[in-house]
Amino acid sequence: MKFSIIVPVYNRVSEVEDLLQSLSAQTLKNFELVIVEDGSTDKCENVVKACSEFPVKYIFKENEGRSIARNVGMENATGDYFIFFDSDCVIPENYFMTLTSCLENNYVDCFGGPDAAHDSFTSTQKAINYTMTSFLTTGGIRGGKISLEKFVPRTFNMGFSRTVYKSVGGFREMFSEDIDMSMRIRNAGFSIALFTDAFVYHKRRVDFKKFLRQVYVFGMSRVTLKLLYPGSLKLVHLLPAAFLLASLLMIILAIFVTPYFILPLIAYFVLVFIFGIISTKSVIIALKAIPSSAIQLWGYGAGFINAYTRKIIFRQGRNIQEEILLRKGK
């Protein structure tokens, strides 16, 4: 089986260098790499074309968004199976050996894998990674062993067959486009699986400010997905908003009634700290996991409440189908 790795890039030269280095170290190189530069001003062309360890295609296009860049990559790919990484991923050396074995033993039309923090990452990056993968903060929906929701592949580590692409089509230019794609694949009757051993190292956001912007958008996009797929909104997606509202209530009651009302919130963050130490074996990372968890839950919850209030309660904004077509430039 031949894989086509498709990576959209926008001004990420140093990240592409790390990604290429990790791909060059693969124990099994049954793949080609398609880099789609989406209108970058800081181009990675020289770095990409200097790679000779495996077949590489470099495509430069005007800036239209990562989904359209991925679609251009698929149009130019020759593999039987498309693999999607983010440019800020580092791939373990046995990844394609593991993936090939998984598909040979249990072939599925679409798969996703989890992400992890590499030893070289900063303590902030490791804290954010812990926050985004912990059951306490996400309910395990991003590839955890225990999950409150059916697994949904994400494009930092996702793949599907050419047959899926021909049947379902490409990615839509929208927030949470990978969740939208996974839902379309499942609704079309294709098989989807989580390959826990096919993980990647994901750098994610390097500071809390950028992380806050990211999770706020995630919260807003969940409402967009509800409008597209009315039955897709589950209890786990409401928890950050409920946590935010409960936190505000506890803080207000602690200020105006009695400080004891803040104890449940403190107890929760103590649990985050304790499980953070168990998971990461680091007091520093566990300490940083406290603000990281607050940002993840409060930021996502705020984005969700904002979008839900505007789009569903007050019915503001475009019709969702019109919005998608406009983002595709149609």
Side-chain angles (χ1 to χ4, degrees):
M1 180 179 296
K2 180 182 177 182
F3 299 105
S4 290
I5 305 169
I6 297 165
V7 182
V9 176
Y10 182 72
N11 292 333
R12 300 293 180 90
V13 176
S14 62
E15 289 182 356
V16 172
E17 287 179 326
D18 290 343
L19 174 62
L20 287 172
Q21 185 176 357
S22 68
L23 291 175
S24 296
Q26 292 298 303
T27 53
L28 179 61
K29 296 186 179 70
N30 54 346
F31 56 79
E32 66 173 357
L33 173 65
V34 183
I35 293 283
V36 184
E37 188 107 58
D38 190 39
S40 299
T41 54
D42 186 14
K43 299 179 183 178
C44 65
E45 181 176 10
N46 292 335
V47 172
V48 173
K49 290 187 175 180
C51 180
S52 59
E53 299 288 327
F54 46 84
V56 177
K57 291 181 180 178
Y58 173 84
I59 301 167
F60 183 88
K61 58 178 291 298
E62 65 180 36
N63 181 254
E64 295 178 283
R66 58 184 179 268
S67 290
I68 296 176
R70 292 190 185 105
N71 295 341
V72 170
M74 287 188 284
E75 291 168 5
N76 288 273
T78 61
D80 313 300
Y81 214 99
F82 302 143
I83 308 296
F84 301 93
F85 297 137
D86 286 347
S87 61
D88 62 347
C89 288
V90 175
I91 316 305
E93 62 180 15
N94 290 323
Y95 180 93
F96 281 94
M97 183 76 76
T98 301
L99 176 59
T100 299
S101 176
C102 288
L103 288 173
E104 287 177 348
N105 294 326
N106 177 32
Y107 182 84
V108 288
D109 304 295
C110 174
F111 83 94
D115 57 346
H118 193 270
D119 289 341
S120 64
F121 291 1
T122 67
S123 57
T124 299
Q125 287 176 304
K126 291 176 181 177
I128 290 174
N129 182 271
Y130 165 72
T131 298
M132 291 296 287
T133 56
S134 171
F135 182 83
L136 284 174
T137 51
T138 65
I141 65 175
R142 298 176 70 89
K145 293 181 179 179
I146 303 175
S147 178
L148 296 178
E149 184 197 25
K150 188 179 292 185
F151 173 69
V152 178
R154 315 290 176 110
T155 46
F156 61 78
N157 184 11
M158 175 185 184
F160 52 77
S161 67
R162 181 177 290 275
T163 301
V164 167
Y165 173 54
K166 290 181 178 179
S167 173
V168 176
F171 291 89
R172 289 167 166 157
E173 187 57 35
M174 57 180 285
F175 296 130
S176 293
E177 72 282 356
D178 45 5
I179 301 177
D180 169 70
M181 173 61 86
S182 295
M183 288 180 173
R184 287 157 55 201
I185 292 172
R186 180 171 279 123
N187 290 345
F190 290 105
S191 54
I192 299 178
L194 165 64
F195 292 156
T196 55
D197 293 333
F199 67 92
V200 301
Y201 298 116
H202 196 186
K203 296 176 184 177
R204 298 188 184 279
R205 301 306 180 189
V206 296
D207 61 54
F208 289 145
K209 184 177 180 180
K210 292 179 181 178
F211 183 49
L212 175 59
R213 289 199 298 266
Q214 183 183 50
V215 294
Y216 185 84
V217 169
F218 287 167
M220 293 182 65
S221 66
R222 180 51 64 180
V223 176
T224 299
L225 290 167
K226 171 187 166 39
L227 292 171
L228 274 172
Y229 308 98
S232 67
L233 188 63
K234 307 298 182 183
L235 176 62
V236 66
H237 304 135
L238 302 176
L239 293 179
F243 183 86
L244 172 60
L245 295 175
S247 298
L248 291 173
L249 179 61
M250 283 185 278
I251 292 170
I252 292 170
L253 291 174
I255 293 172
F256 294 103
V257 181
T258 172
Y260 290 115
F261 276 108
I262 203 69
L263 290 180
L265 189 61
I266 293 174
Y268 173 79
F269 287 121
V270 168
L271 281 177
V272 169
F273 175 73
I274 292 172
F275 281 94
I277 291 179
I278 295 172
S279 177
T280 68
K281 308 295 189 297
S282 169
V283 173
I284 293 175
I285 296 172
L287 284 170
K288 288 190 174 184
I290 295 174
S292 179
S293 297
I295 289 169
Q296 196 274 332
L297 290 166
W298 291 339
Y300 187 106
F304 181 90
I305 292 171
N306 180 16
Y308 194 93
T309 301
R310 289 189 299 103
K311 292 190 174 185
I312 295 181
I313 296 178
F314 293 109
R315 300 182 181 276
Q316 295 177 350
R318 302 187 190 102
N319 172 276
I320 185 61
Q321 297 295 343
E322 178 186 357
E323 183 174 305
I324 289 171
L325 289 175
L326 286 170
R327 288 186 180 183
K328 289 173 120 179
K330 296 184 179 179

